[in-house]
Amino acid sequence: MDDLKLRLVFVAIVMMLSAMISGIFGPDLARTAMGEELQWWQLVLGGGVFIGLCGMIIHSMLEHALSPVTNLTDHFMRLQLGDLAPRLPVEGPAEMQQLAKSFNETMSELETQIRDINEEKHAAERGRQYVIEQLEASQKFKALSDNLPIG
């Protein structure tokens, strides 16, 4: 996660610096471009537009940065519903790639264990059925031997 944190910190610093620079030089540039004194409402409108654009950029960056986490959450929800087939794509930052690999390996091991348990269950059921058949045969033999006349 260090790589992701570093990128988010870097983006935040760049956005703060750009906001400070636009706050310092923005009114002078606007005054020069318009050739007249700015009204208070023009400054408020320009600031609102700038804040809105920054908000949209931050939202899209966070959505992009957190999409692997939401993807992982979706896969865990599918897992809770009993679907063992989904695998995570190995993409994104190194930390998310490692997490995806670990998740996929865990799912493969879980499928193998479930398959082995089911095979053992079927083998135990076959063994149980064999014992029942042998018990029934021995009971028939006992009944026949009990009915035989002695002497």
Side-chain angles (χ1 to χ4, degrees), residues 6-7 10 21 31 43 45 66 77 91 103 128 145:
L6 182 65
R7 285 193 281 165
F10 177 73
I21 290 171
R31 219 177 277 122
L43 288 174
L45 181 64
L66 294 177
M77 294 296 282
E91 58 188 21
F103 178 84
R128 182 180 153 292
S145 67

Side-chain angles (χ1 to χ4, degrees), residues 70-90:
T70 57
N71 192 14
L72 181 64
T73 304
D74 292 342
H75 279 73
F76 274 115
M77 294 296 282
R78 290 175 63 183
L79 178 64
Q80 285 179 337
L81 295 174
D83 185 8
L84 299 178
R87 297 294 187 263
L88 288 173
V90 181

Side-chain angles (χ1 to χ4, degrees), residues 4 7 58-69 92-93:
L4 182 61
R7 285 193 281 165
I58 288 173
H59 178 268
S60 66
M61 288 173 41
L62 285 176
E63 187 174 307
H64 177 70
L66 294 177
S67 67
V69 176

Side-chain angles (χ1 to χ4, degrees), residues 7-40:
R7 285 193 281 165
L8 288 175
V9 167
F10 177 73
V11 167
I13 290 172
V14 168
M15 292 186 73
M16 286 188 282
L17 288 176
S18 65
M20 287 174 33
I21 290 171
S22 66
I24 293 170
F25 299 113
D28 291 334
L29 291 173
R31 219 177 277 122
T32 303
M34 295 180 72
E36 60 186 54
E37 188 66 29
L38 290 175
Q39 301 294 322
W40 66 271

Side-chain angles (χ1 to χ4, degrees), residues 41-53:
W41 63 271
Q42 291 170 324
L43 288 174
V44 170
L45 181 64
V49 168
F50 179 76
I51 290 172
L53 289 175

